[in-house]
Amino acid sequence: MKLQKNHQILIVGLGLLGGSYAEALTSAGYHVTAITLSQEDIDYAVERGMISRGAAFVDAELVGAADIVIFALYPHVFKNWVRENQQLFKPGAILTDVTGVKSCIVDEIQSMLRPDVEFIAAHPMAGRECSGVRNADASIFKGANYVVTPSGRNTPEAIALCEDLGRTLGFARISRLAPKEHDEIIAFVSQLTHCIAVALMTCTPSGGEHTNRLEEYTGDSFRDLTRIARLNDEMWSELFKLNKYALLHQMTVFEGELNRMRSMLELDDTEGLREMMRKSTARRALFDKKL
Amino acid sequence: MKLQKNHQILIVGLGLLGGSYAEALTSAGYHVTAITLSQEDIDYAVERGMISRGAAFVDAELVGAADIVIFALYPHVFKNWVRENQQLFKPGAILTDVTGVKSCIVDEIQSMLRPDVEFIAAHPMAGRECSGVRNADASIFKGANYVVTPSGRNTPEAIALCEDLGRTLGFARISRLAPKEHDEIIAFVSQLTHCIAVALMTCTPSGGEHTNRLEEYTGDSFRDLTRIARLNDEMWSELFKLNKYALLHQMTVFEGELNRMRSMLELDDTEGLREMMRKSTARRALFDKKL
């Protein structure tokens, strides 16, 4: 099942990601509408031609007209929204999302959902260190990964539609993971990395008073490792909490590896260190974006 | 004391940094020569107009003609080079370097050096995840930091000349640190970050077989934190070894902070986590490059 040009697409939550979806889908020729909290954001998006129209309230007509509804909300807001408004969906509508955790979302939404509507979850692995529709930018999807996370309740048709959505948005690689696998992997590649960046930024290194002006002495390595240390505390604390056990486990894995390195350094095991660095160098080559 | 256009500048070691220095200084109108291991690298740099001439051996005439000699070598190679060839320096010559560790270098070089020649150490906080003169690029200095690390034996004139060199190269911010302070701070902003990147790349996260194809599921956060995981194992293992105790200490500081975060997560201390994230966000704003 493919996206069709006569499909009406509604985006709920017009922030950085919702706005970037809107921009990409409108550019690709689809009919896109939006519902979000602020009328100013709707006005901005309409003026920029990102959406054809929108509402700052739950507009029954917009919801009822949509063949595809994309949720770009905080996890708990998303669940509440569906619980309270699902009677408005068009029969046969496909719902999808951009939520960064899946186990707790997919099961809960699918369990409560009307049987004539299907929710197929996805996680676009793209973002920026800023938020809001004014920072929306469809180019963040270029070269990036898009992960569809179906459960046993999803139909092949909805999965195919969701994958086609990822391609239409411009993602370079579309893959599938079960929700639990997704959450384990995201705990490592995304949540742990944010924890590391925050810890680097908040700890007090030795080095006396100069560490108060660390920005004068830093190079690109520290800038790179802390770009994501500028983050939305409300969203990230919620994502961490919803994936707590997977994240704690990946922290343990990472700390074990850092301690292995520490031991090599303590024991002057230069060959061991060099072997780790060579492995790291070879493996990192796989991770370059394919632009 | 300022750089003067009639100063002859010799670069010893024409790799990524040496080559980028050559490019920047020649563009700024200085007379630049080079000594490096490979004649091919000399030919490349002459053809590109990065240097006026050079040699793949210790050419007494080139060394004797230089007012300023810039060493861009591995630490142990640098020390040996000075020990074996210092009789060739022009009286009054100023030596400087790009070495990433200072305590062990500055004292040793200054102790062995002829009294009519002065070594003033500096650390350009710029680099790339690749090496060699073919990757040289003077634009890496733009917006970057340059740290001069004088000891009590340095003259104000040499310090001023070295700072002027940093400005001429295009660095945005020139500062001073004592060698020991430099090494503590560099252990944190540069060496620890490389350890983290390598550990992220070499550890085996949970998530089953999918972790063998992690590149399919990753976003920019993981790419950012591991850009520097592609590194020169010979150089970095030497730098780690030469700064072992400072690095071990900063590892402890960082792990302590990560564990503080882990405890908050375990105890569902959402407000504590959000407070850390807000502090991190505010502090990170200071670290943007000023381009």
Side-chain angles (χ1 to χ4, degrees), chain B:
Chain B
M1 190 169 162
K2 291 207 156 201
L3 272 184
Q4 290 160 26
K5 290 286 153 123
N6 64 350
H7 276 150
Q8 292 236 24
I9 302 178
L10 170 66
I11 294 170
V12 183
L14 207 58
L16 174 74
L17 272 175
S20 303
Y21 268 56
E23 188 182 307
L25 292 170
T26 296
S27 299
Y30 292 91
H31 180 84
V32 183
T33 58
I35 291 177
T36 201
L37 278 180
S38 133
Q39 183 62 43
E40 275 180 28
D41 288 345
I42 294 292
D43 295 344
Y44 176 88
V46 171
E47 278 163 29
R48 293 292 188 111
M50 295 160 73
I51 57 173
S52 61
R53 66 194 191 92
F57 59 95
V58 182
D59 183 328
E61 193 198 323
L62 283 183
V63 181
D67 301 289
I68 295 158
V69 187
I70 298 165
F71 289 90
L73 300 172
Y74 285 20
H76 74 280
V77 180
F78 175 27
K79 287 191 274 192
N80 289 339
W81 202 102
V82 172
R83 189 175 294 114
E84 288 166 19
N85 302 297
Q86 62 165 317
Q87 74 285 358
L88 302 177
F89 292 131
K90 183 176 182 169
I94 300 288
L95 320 183
T96 186
D97 72 335
V98 304
T99 320
V101 286
K102 294 303 185 195
S103 303
C104 61
I105 289 286
V106 173
D107 188 58
E108 213 173 317
I109 300 269
Q110 291 184 338
S111 298
M112 72 162 105
L113 204 60
R114 278 166 41 191
D116 61 335
V117 168
E118 182 169 348
F119 171 53
I120 171 71
H123 188 181
M125 301 298 302
R128 294 178 68 186
E129 66 279 25
C130 51
S131 61
V133 67
R134 279 162 186 76
N135 290 306
D137 178 1
S139 74
I140 60 175
F141 305 140
K142 209 175 156 184
N145 291 321
Y146 182 86
V147 185
V148 181
T149 60
S151 77
R153 305 193 217 191
N154 282 114
T155 61
E157 290 73 24
I159 297 171
L161 181 78
C162 190
E163 291 178 339
D164 195 42
L165 176 66
R167 274 185 292 271
T168 304
L169 287 164
F171 284 90
R173 197 150 38 183
I174 317 285
S175 56
R176 286 186 207 180
L177 287 174
K180 184 179 172 298
E181 295 168 341
H182 166 275
D183 288 357
E184 280 188 274
I185 287 178
I186 247 49
F188 181 71
V189 296
S190 170
Q191 299 185 328
L192 172 65
T193 50
H194 281 78
C195 289
I196 291 170
V198 168
L200 277 174
M201 210 69 250
T202 57
C203 74
T204 306
S206 63
E209 54 171 302
H210 300 284
T211 61
N212 298 327
R213 296 190 307 278
L214 222 47
E215 66 275 14
E216 294 184 25
Y217 314 116
T218 190
D220 285 332
S221 51
F222 191 77
R223 280 188 208 100
D224 277 5
L225 265 80
T226 57
R227 180 187 62 90
I228 56 172
R230 199 183 291 184
L231 75 183
N232 177 331
D233 60 291
E234 192 181 351
M235 183 178 82
W236 282 97
S237 60
E238 186 175 344
L239 293 174
F240 284 5
K241 200 172 174 175
L242 291 171
N243 205 23
K244 174 173 163 177
Y245 295 102
L247 176 53
L248 286 171
H249 184 76
Q250 304 292 26
M251 273 185 173
T252 304
V253 169
F254 167 73
E255 287 174 343
E257 188 74 353
L258 199 60
N259 278 327
R260 198 163 72 90
M261 206 168 189
R262 164 198 285 280
S263 298
M264 288 176 183
L265 194 61
E266 278 170 345
L267 300 171
D268 293 320
D269 178 6
T270 305
E271 192 38 49
L273 279 174
R274 291 186 63 177
E275 180 55 35
M276 268 186 93
M277 291 176 184
R278 285 192 293 265
K279 183 178 165 191
S280 156
T281 299
R283 192 147 189 234
R284 181 57 179 79
L286 302 173
F287 284 79
D288 283 334
K289 259 190 180 174
K290 289 170 184 58
L291 294 178

Side-chain angles (χ1 to χ4, degrees), chain A residues 270-288:
Chain A
T270 306
E271 191 38 48
L273 280 173
R274 292 185 62 177
E275 180 55 34
M276 268 185 93
M277 291 177 184
R278 286 192 293 266
K279 184 178 164 192
S280 156
T281 300
R283 190 145 193 236
R284 181 58 179 77
L286 302 172
F287 284 79
D288 284 333

Side-chain angles (χ1 to χ4, degrees), chain A residues 70-138:
Chain A
I70 299 166
F71 290 90
L73 301 172
Y74 285 21
H76 74 279
V77 180
F78 174 30
K79 286 190 275 192
N80 288 341
W81 202 101
V82 172
R83 189 174 294 114
E84 288 165 20
N85 301 298
Q86 63 167 315
Q87 74 285 359
L88 303 176
F89 292 130
K90 182 175 183 172
I94 300 289
L95 320 183
T96 186
D97 72 337
V98 305
T99 320
V101 285
K102 294 303 184 195
S103 303
C104 60
I105 289 286
V106 173
D107 189 57
E108 212 172 317
I109 300 269
Q110 290 184 341
S111 298
M112 71 163 105
L113 204 60
R114 278 166 41 190
D116 61 336
V117 168
E118 182 168 348
F119 170 53
I120 171 71
H123 188 180
M125 301 298 300
R128 293 178 70 185
E129 65 280 25
C130 50
S131 61
V133 68
R134 278 160 187 78
N135 290 304
D137 177 1

Side-chain angles (χ1 to χ4, degrees), chain A residues 17 48 61 97 113 140 144 156 158 176 219-220 247 249 251 254 289:
Chain A
L17 271 176
R48 293 291 188 111
E61 192 198 324
D97 72 337
L113 204 60
I140 60 175
R176 286 187 207 180
D220 285 333
L247 175 54
H249 184 75
M251 274 185 173
F254 167 72
K289 258 190 180 172

